[in-house]
Structures are given as C-alpha cells and as structure tokens.
Amino acid sequence: MKNKMNEHRKKLGFSQDKLAEKLGVSRQTIISIEKGRYNPSLPLAMIIAELFDTSVENIFFLEQDDYK
Amino acid sequence: MKNKMNEHRKKLGFSQDKLAEKLGVSRQTIISIEKGRYNPSLPLAMIIAELFDTSVENIFFLEQDDYK
DNA sequence: CCTTTACGTCAAGTTTGCTTTACATATATT
DNA sequence: AATATATGTAAAGCAAACTTGACGTAAAGG
C-alpha cells in the first residue's frame, strides 16, 4: 500500500513532530507510515484523513499485494 | 468505532462465509468486525469498501473514543 | 562553536488484527 | 430423526501496529 502522507503533511506545513502531536501518536508512528514500513490502523487513517480535510482514499492507495 | 458491515453484506445477499471467501479472510474475521470486537486493518477496510462499491467512510464511523 | 530543529535508524516491549480449531445453537430440508 | 446452512463463542498463536528510549546526522541561527 502506498500513501501521500508526506505530501499532505507538507501542504499543512507541519513537522513530523507536530503532526504526531495533533494526531495523538508518537513521532515514530509518523515516520513509519511515511516510509511505508507499516500501515496505520483504520481509526488512525480516518483521523488523518479528517485532519487533512480529505478522504481515506485520497491518501492511501491499495496495491496488488494488498489482495490475497 | 461503528460500522455498517452487516447492512452492506445483506444488501449483497452474502453469508458471512461467502463474504470471508470473497475478501480472502477467515469467517472469524467477518464475525469479529461485524460484532465490533475489533477493526479491520486499513487495507482490508479498503478492499471491503471496494467490494461494497462505496467508500471506507460510508461503512466505518469514528466515535469519540477513537481520538486520544 | 553551540544549540535547536527536523529527520532518520534501531531495538525491546505491549496491544490489536487475524488465523485455525473446536464446539454450540437455531432453522430449514429430506 | 438426520443432515445442512448460517451464526455465534472461546482459546491459542503468529504477525502487524504502536510505544518508549537511545542515538546519529545535517542544516540553520545565536
């Protein structure tokens, strides 16, 4: 799964630290999601979408290997 | 977090078993999500939305305690 | 120089998502 | 009465999401 976290974050002019704080998660979580190390949980993804004022589908994108 | 899995599943006339199969997960996973025991992962939520021909936001709904 | 800000890695530990297996119950069909 | 279908519970185990803490690097400003 791909995502446009970095893009959206920069559009808001937030540092990873500030974004983490706004979302109520650790900075490691932001880094890991941006770097594609793992996916956010569904509730976190929805809170992110809300903060970025868009839909989950405009930030996160399924890829072939997400389907089994 | 609440969801309308049951509603959407029945609209398609699928049993839990059949839905599980279509999604490539176990029947337990469907039961657990429908019963609200836990949330699907983000990729699974997006695959579910795709199968139900709608958006993640039309199936899953944030509640107060999803925010920290 | 020195400190601060921003981004990054690594590692250990807890919690949550998902699997498998086994078993229970209710309804319908033969 | 017996079998099938659909839904449910419970428990054990593995993998993924998330946390905290320690440390590294580079750029910018005093």
Side-chain angles (χ1 to χ4, degrees), chain A residues 4-17 19-20 30 34 52:
Chain A
K4 295 189 178 163
M5 282 285 288
N6 190 277
E7 208 173 306
H8 280 91
R9 174 171 66 81
K10 288 186 170 153
K11 200 183 296 173
L12 289 190
F14 286 1
S15 66
Q16 293 176 334
D17 211 26
L19 179 58
I30 303 301
E34 281 194 9
F52 287 164

Side-chain angles (χ1 to χ4, degrees), chain A residues 20-68:
Chain A
E21 189 183 305
K22 295 259 181 196
L23 294 171
V25 297
S26 70
R27 188 170 63 92
Q28 271 311 315
T29 296
I30 303 301
I31 292 176
S32 296
I33 295 171
E34 281 194 9
K35 291 269 148 187
R37 272 196 263 282
Y38 54 72
N39 304 123
S41 67
L42 178 57
L44 181 52
M46 293 184 76
I47 291 170
I48 289 169
E50 210 173 58
L51 180 63
F52 287 164
D53 197 32
T54 187
S55 66
V56 166
E57 286 87 350
N58 277 328
I59 307 175
F60 302 98
F61 306 91
L62 287 174
E63 293 180 291
Q64 264 314 316
D65 51 310
D66 291 317
Y67 302 89
K68 310 176 215 171

Side-chain angles (χ1 to χ4, degrees), chain B residues 25-26 28-29 38-41 44:
Chain B
V25 296
S26 70
Q28 272 311 314
T29 295
Y38 54 68
N39 304 123
S41 67
L44 180 53

